[in-house]
Amino acid sequence: MKQIYDIKNDVNAMRSKIKKIEKFDDIIGRQLSELSLMVNNFERDADFLASTDRNLRIAVIGQVKAGKSTMLNALLFDGECLLPSAATPMTAALTVIKYSPQMKVEIEYYDKNDWNNIVSISKNYEKLIGETRQKLIKERNEQSAPLFGTPAFASQTSEISLQEILLNINMPEEFKVCNELVTMAASIRDIDSYLGRTEEITGINEHKELLEKLHNYVGTKGKLTPLVKSATIYYNDRRLEGFEIIDTPGINDPIISRGQKTKNYLGSCDVIIMLSSSKQFVDSVDMQLLAQNLPEKGIKEIILVGSMFDLTIYGEHQKYPNINALLSSMELKLEEYVQKSFSDLEKKCKTAFEKEILQRLKNVVPIFISSMAYIAAKHNNEMNADERHIVNLLNKMYKEQSFGINELIELSNIPALKSEVEKQMNKKSETINSRFSERANSARSAFNNFLLTIEEDVKKYLLKLDSEDMASLQSKEKEITERLSHGKNKIENTFDNLNIKIRQDLSMLVTEIKSISLQFEKIKEKSESKTESYEEKIPRKVLGFDVSWAFGYRTETHTRTINYHYADVHESISLVKEFIYEAEKKIKQSIIDIVDIVSFREEVKKGAMSLFDMKDVNFDFEDISIPVERAVKKIAIPEIEFGDKDYSATIVSRFNKGRVYDNEIQMLRSAQSEAIYQVLEEIDSAVKIKIKEIIQMLETSKSEFLDSLLKEINEELNLIKTQLKNKQASKDNLNSLAGVIKEIKYM
């Protein structure tokens, strides 16, 4: 009870401080809203955390497609695929997993405000599509218009595909997300009857039945998936007793209400499992996710997990003599890579919050896992195509090494992750008891830091009011505009150089993949022999004369060896799938290497900053650096995706048996070559489209960057101009605000 009483005092004190600065709403309106939200979240979290007789809450966070659901299926359900992956990151709902003797599912739908907002944003998508379509039609008609007269056809609407339209738009992510949700929901009758409701699904007796029912609400083709904000699964496995798992959607959820619900849950969590792909382990996006969520929440227990380890080691095996050398070296390399990543990130840390997180992460030993290897081991003889494919790839790395159940489990490292979770469970009481005070301390610290930030802003504005006048601001605005205008070519050259590099390197990529394809076109022709018996008719003879005409023939049984050639149809299918796997991996990795957006942003930022002489007393570093930082963050490239078409169907449709013999072998070779050719054609098309998408997006960023930067800078200057119009009153108001903050910040 003392804890609750202390929190009430803290919350009341914070709200009292906010009350004292509410009259300065015209200066700090946005900050006031953020402070109030911060206090409300703290109060809600504290109510939950104050209870010591509760479950330990473990949250799983990570970027989109880091493999969260697959990991949880391996970690919690021993390989049973209970948690389906969402159709896309856009439809992913927050999922809470708890123990209950009786299995059931609780579904929370969006409320009417949520859905109306989603529909409204979706209309912006359609509007932008329509406007761009008309623009392209107009451009096409102008290009095709004859020198005299009017064009024979005034409109070519039908010839402009949606894909072509999207290539000409830098479509905001939230527009795409909301459009997808609304499109998916089109088949649902009476949407309003679901909105704002919660639904309980009971009467579930078997795990398979639970999975089947769950698919309708959170699965890829679930009828109600687009309307679901969150799902709580009650699972009758005693291994879940004492804790609950929160499976969060991917980072930067464009659906505000869903993203807010995720943040609300994080505040009441005790442990974080941070999942990051082993291929790009703990990058700047991961750090952003941690920085946004951990410091204010006061969470100190972090389990750092590198996912998809199987994809990391495959392709590296040729450098090492055996599996043990490969695994030892890769683990060492990844650990070194992690340390380098932390060192690089440390240089970029701007706030005490980020530095605090980084320091915690440095003390965490990462666990590298392969959830697919573990699930494949548990499924053993009942593996699906993806699991079997992974095992086939692993088995081909070394002739003397095959991956059976034990080897797959050892490679998966899931037992080590389970052990880490068990450690957290063993110190559950200690964690829960300390969690309340950690959250309270972090809330107080965050609140006071926010007040300090406001105080610094006030000081900055006061200095500017003393040092600036309308003439100097107009002069500064003019000089900034001129500098940006003169430096336009320099900035645009940075974009153009990347465009050239992308075109050249990605064009070469198709040639490289064609070369790789040759390794997968060869089918091993195998030889076998078999012994068979046959009968031979022998003429009857008497005294050396053939008398078979009178007495018939006698029969002798002999044996003979027949040699024949055959090829394995399953091996041919596997080679096509391996090629697709290798090609996809090559494409994704190459695009990551070629289009290093983080480095590119830094290069643009450096170029923009070089346009200004920071030694000039007329320029304040923050006046330029903060707007540049904001403008650079808007530079983006499209997501990298590759199709999931089953190219092996060409082979399957022609051969309905496991082996082909003699003349059929050439037919199998032709079918396999045709399948690989189909893949190459699609890759060639996909890469060309991807080049066009990336170039288009960078062209848009190039054309908008300087305007965006100028707008950011001018917003700051205009604020000062407004204050200068009534300079003394503005100064008096700012000084009053500074005095109140000084009075309350350490109360």
Side-chain angles (χ1 to χ4, degrees):
M1 293 300 293
K2 184 178 184 300
Q3 285 184 328
I4 296 174
Y5 179 76
D6 289 345
I7 289 301
K8 291 295 181 189
N9 285 343
D10 280 344
V11 168
N12 289 337
M14 290 176 185
R15 286 185 175 143
S16 174
K17 291 178 182 181
I18 292 173
K19 194 76 176 170
K20 287 179 181 291
I21 55 176
E22 277 181 349
K23 60 183 177 182
F24 303 101
D25 179 77
D26 58 325
I27 304 173
I28 55 167
R30 180 180 57 82
Q31 288 98 325
L32 280 170
S33 297
E34 290 183 34
L35 274 173
S36 295
L37 181 62
M38 185 186 294
V39 176
N40 291 341
N41 289 342
F42 169 43
E43 184 177 34
R44 185 202 57 248
D45 294 344
D47 284 342
F48 174 82
L49 294 171
S51 171
T52 55
D53 183 22
R54 63 175 178 83
N55 285 339
L56 185 78
R57 275 191 172 178
I58 302 175
V60 182
I61 65 173
Q63 293 185 47
V64 165
K65 296 187 180 178
K68 295 189 291 294
S69 296
T70 310
M71 181 205 71
L72 287 173
N73 283 328
L75 178 67
L76 301 180
F77 306 115
D78 215 28
E80 186 178 357
C81 295
L82 188 71
L83 294 175
S85 296
T88 66
M90 302 176 186
T91 58
L94 179 116
T95 306
V96 182
I97 305 159
K98 299 180 179 182
Y99 167 75
S100 171
Q102 182 60 50
M103 286 191 289
K104 64 177 180 177
V105 179
E106 290 174 355
I107 298 295
E108 179 191 9
Y109 296 104
Y110 292 114
D111 63 29
K112 287 188 179 181
N113 287 335
D114 294 337
W115 189 251
N116 288 341
N117 190 46
I118 289 168
V119 171
S120 176
I121 294 173
S122 177
K123 288 177 182 175
N124 291 333
Y125 175 95
E126 296 297 342
K127 182 182 177 184
L128 196 50
I129 292 287
E131 289 173 351
T132 308
R133 184 188 296 276
Q134 292 305 314
K135 177 185 171 187
L136 292 175
I137 291 169
K138 183 180 178 183
E139 289 174 357
R140 186 171 295 181
N141 288 337
E142 287 173 352
Q143 290 168 5
S144 61
L147 191 59
F148 301 102
T150 57
F153 300 99
S155 175
Q156 301 291 332
T157 306
S158 60
E159 295 182 15
I160 299 177
S161 66
L162 179 61
Q163 185 179 47
E164 185 179 353
I165 292 169
L166 290 172
L167 287 176
N168 285 275
I169 305 174
N170 187 5
M171 183 70 76
E173 190 68 17
E174 61 268 29
F175 288 15
K176 290 190 284 184
V177 174
C178 294
N179 178 69
E180 177 166 348
L181 290 173
V182 171
T183 302
M184 287 179 69
S187 62
I188 303 173
R189 293 183 181 179
D190 195 14
I191 289 175
D192 285 348
S193 66
Y194 294 96
L195 300 178
R197 279 180 46 210
T198 57
E199 182 176 341
E200 193 172 88
I201 306 161
T202 57
I204 302 170
N205 299 313
E206 296 180 351
H207 301 163
K208 184 179 179 182
E209 187 182 357
L210 173 61
L211 180 58
E212 288 172 355
K213 291 194 175 183
L214 198 58
H215 264 290
N216 193 42
Y217 298 90
V218 295
T220 303
K221 297 179 181 178
K223 177 188 172 185
L224 297 171
T225 294
L227 300 183
V228 175
K229 184 193 285 190
S230 69
T232 302
I233 302 171
Y234 293 86
Y235 193 68
N236 63 346
D237 187 331
R238 288 196 171 276
R239 286 173 296 184
L240 290 172
E241 277 193 283
F243 71 101
E244 55 194 71
I245 293 281
I246 290 86
D247 180 13
T248 68
I251 184 177
N252 296 339
D253 195 335
I255 306 298
I256 302 302
S257 61
R258 194 171 62 186
Q260 190 57 50
K261 188 172 184 68
T262 299
K263 289 181 179 179
N264 290 348
Y265 257 97
L266 285 176
S268 59
C269 286
D270 306 293
V271 181
I272 291 288
I273 296 179
M274 175 69 205
L275 196 68
S276 180
S277 170
S278 296
K279 274 288 185 184
Q280 295 169 272
F281 196 60
V282 190
D283 61 12
S284 58
V285 181
D286 288 325
M287 277 301 293
Q288 179 189 359
L289 176 60
L290 290 167
Q292 286 175 346
N293 292 304
L294 262 61
E296 183 193 330
K297 311 299 184 184
I299 302 171
K300 292 187 176 178
E301 299 296 336
I302 304 171
I303 302 173
L304 196 55
V305 180
S307 63
M308 306 177 196
F309 187 60
D310 50 291
L311 300 185
T312 307
I313 64 170
Y314 186 76
E316 296 288 325
H317 65 281
Q318 296 167 344
K319 304 173 187 176
Y320 304 96
N322 54 57
I323 187 67
N324 291 330
L326 169 65
L327 294 177
S328 298
S329 178
M330 287 306 298
E331 284 177 1
L332 183 62
K333 276 187 176 181
L334 282 168
E335 286 174 10
E336 290 173 351
Y337 174 73
V338 170
Q339 291 307 313
K340 182 181 182 302
S341 295
F342 287 160
S343 297
D344 292 342
L345 289 168
E346 194 169 20
K347 297 171 188 173
K348 299 175 184 178
C349 284
K350 294 183 175 65
T351 67
F353 282 174
E354 289 177 336
K355 290 174 183 175
E356 181 187 352
I357 292 168
L358 193 59
Q359 197 55 48
R360 289 185 205 167
L361 288 173
K362 280 184 174 181
N363 297 326
V364 177
V365 177
I367 301 171
F368 296 100
I369 65 167
S370 167
S371 304
M372 283 291 284
Y374 187 84
I375 291 172
K378 291 297 178 179
H379 288 178
N380 196 13
N381 295 325
E382 297 179 359
M383 286 186 278
N384 64 28
D386 290 335
E387 293 154 14
R388 193 178 301 110
H389 180 55
I390 288 291
V391 175
N392 287 340
L393 290 179
L394 293 171
N395 281 333
K396 288 188 176 183
M397 290 196 301
Y398 299 104
K399 289 181 180 178
E400 72 281 0
Q401 172 70 52
S402 63
F403 282 80
I405 294 175
N406 294 334
E407 289 78 12
L408 287 169
I409 289 175
E410 184 177 354
L411 170 66
S412 77
N413 217 18
I414 291 294
L417 181 56
K418 286 185 177 183
S419 175
E420 189 59 39
V421 172
E422 285 171 8
K423 284 180 187 175
Q424 293 294 339
M425 283 301 299
N426 290 336
K427 58 177 184 177
K428 173 185 171 183
S429 297
E430 176 188 340
T431 301
I432 286 176
N433 287 333
S434 63
R435 182 72 184 91
F436 183 89
S437 58
E438 287 165 1
R439 179 69 179 94
N441 290 336
S442 67
R444 294 185 200 107
S445 176
F447 188 88
N448 285 327
N449 284 335
F450 207 107
L451 289 178
L452 289 172
T453 301
I454 296 174
E455 187 177 42
E456 288 302 313
D457 288 344
V458 170
K459 288 178 182 176
K460 183 179 74 172
Y461 289 134
L462 282 168
L463 283 172
K464 286 184 182 298
L465 285 174
D466 283 334
S467 61
E468 303 280 10
D469 54 35
M470 285 294 187
S472 69
L473 283 175
Q474 287 169 353
S475 173
K476 184 181 287 189
E477 188 174 10
K478 182 181 177 184
E479 185 172 351
I480 287 171
T481 304
E482 287 176 354
R483 282 180 181 270
L484 290 177
S485 179
H486 291 150
K488 182 178 180 182
N489 289 339
K490 183 175 182 179
I491 297 295
E492 289 185 345
N493 283 341
T494 306
F495 283 90
D496 292 339
N497 290 338
L498 180 61
N499 281 346
I500 293 168
K501 181 177 184 294
I502 288 168
R503 290 181 191 275
Q504 291 175 341
D505 291 358
L506 289 183
S507 296
M508 285 296 296
L509 175 61
V510 177
T511 305
E512 288 179 39
I513 291 174
K514 284 180 181 176
S515 176
I516 292 171
S517 74
L518 299 176
Q519 304 169 28
F520 298 90
E521 288 193 8
K522 297 174 184 176
I523 302 174
K524 290 180 183 176
E525 190 174 313
K526 300 167 187 175
S527 298
E528 263 188 9
S529 60
K530 65 179 179 179
T531 301
E532 66 175 18
S533 59
Y534 67 96
E535 292 182 344
E536 184 179 7
K537 289 182 178 181
I538 307 295
R540 294 180 187 276
K541 292 185 179 183
V542 176
L543 299 175
F545 294 97
D546 184 352
V547 291
S548 55
W549 57 272
F551 299 102
Y553 292 83
R554 64 187 176 85
T555 302
E556 287 185 2
T557 300
H558 300 279
T559 59
R560 62 187 171 194
T561 300
I562 298 175
N563 297 314
Y564 61 90
H565 301 281
Y566 75 92
D568 190 329
V569 175
H570 296 295
E571 182 181 336
S572 178
I573 292 170
S574 181
L575 282 168
V576 173
K577 289 188 173 181
E578 281 183 48
F579 171 56
I580 294 168
Y581 176 85
E582 281 296 311
E584 182 177 3
K585 188 173 80 167
K586 180 72 176 174
I587 288 170
K588 288 185 176 180
Q589 192 56 51
S590 296
I591 290 178
I592 289 167
D593 293 340
I594 293 166
V595 192
D596 184 349
I597 194 67
V598 175
S599 299
F600 179 65
R601 283 173 177 167
E602 286 298 316
E603 194 174 342
V604 173
K605 180 180 173 182
K606 185 178 176 183
M609 293 299 294
S610 70
L611 301 178
F612 301 93
D613 181 6
M614 290 305 157
K615 294 178 182 176
D616 188 341
V617 293
N618 291 323
F619 284 100
D620 182 337
F621 179 78
E622 285 190 354
D623 283 349
I624 306 300
S625 65
I626 293 174
V628 166
E629 190 78 44
R630 288 176 188 154
V632 163
K633 281 181 180 177
K634 295 175 185 175
I635 301 172
I637 61 167
E639 287 290 322
I640 310 305
E641 287 301 329
F642 188 63
D644 56 357
K645 182 179 173 183
D646 184 7
Y647 297 93
S648 62
T650 303
I651 300 169
V652 175
S653 64
R654 298 184 191 178
F655 303 93
N656 58 3
K657 52 188 177 180
R659 287 183 176 187
V660 292
Y661 299 91
D662 300 322
N663 294 337
E664 290 180 319
I665 295 174
Q666 186 53 45
M667 293 171 61
L668 180 62
R669 284 198 181 101
S670 297
Q672 183 177 324
S673 295
E674 186 180 332
I676 287 177
Y677 179 73
Q678 286 178 0
V679 178
L680 286 170
E681 275 199 321
E682 181 131 337
I683 287 171
D684 188 38
S685 174
V687 169
K688 285 176 182 174
I689 289 171
K690 190 55 61 182
I691 290 173
K692 191 172 180 180
E693 284 180 356
I694 294 171
I695 298 300
Q696 180 62 47
M697 195 165 279
L698 286 173
E699 284 293 331
T700 302
S701 294
K702 179 176 81 172
S703 64
E704 294 176 352
F705 177 74
L706 289 178
D707 288 340
S708 175
L709 176 55
L710 193 58
K711 182 182 176 184
E712 293 283 353
I713 292 172
N714 283 340
E715 279 181 4
E716 281 291 309
L717 294 175
N718 288 336
L719 180 61
I720 302 300
K721 283 181 183 178
T722 302
Q723 292 175 340
L724 278 171
K725 286 177 182 177
N726 198 339
K727 184 174 180 178
Q728 191 55 50
S730 296
K731 286 181 70 174
D732 291 345
N733 207 21
L734 285 166
N735 279 318
S736 295
L737 174 57
V740 174
I741 290 175
K742 186 176 181 181
E743 173 194 337
I744 68 173
K745 65 182 177 181
Y746 293 121
M747 276 175 54

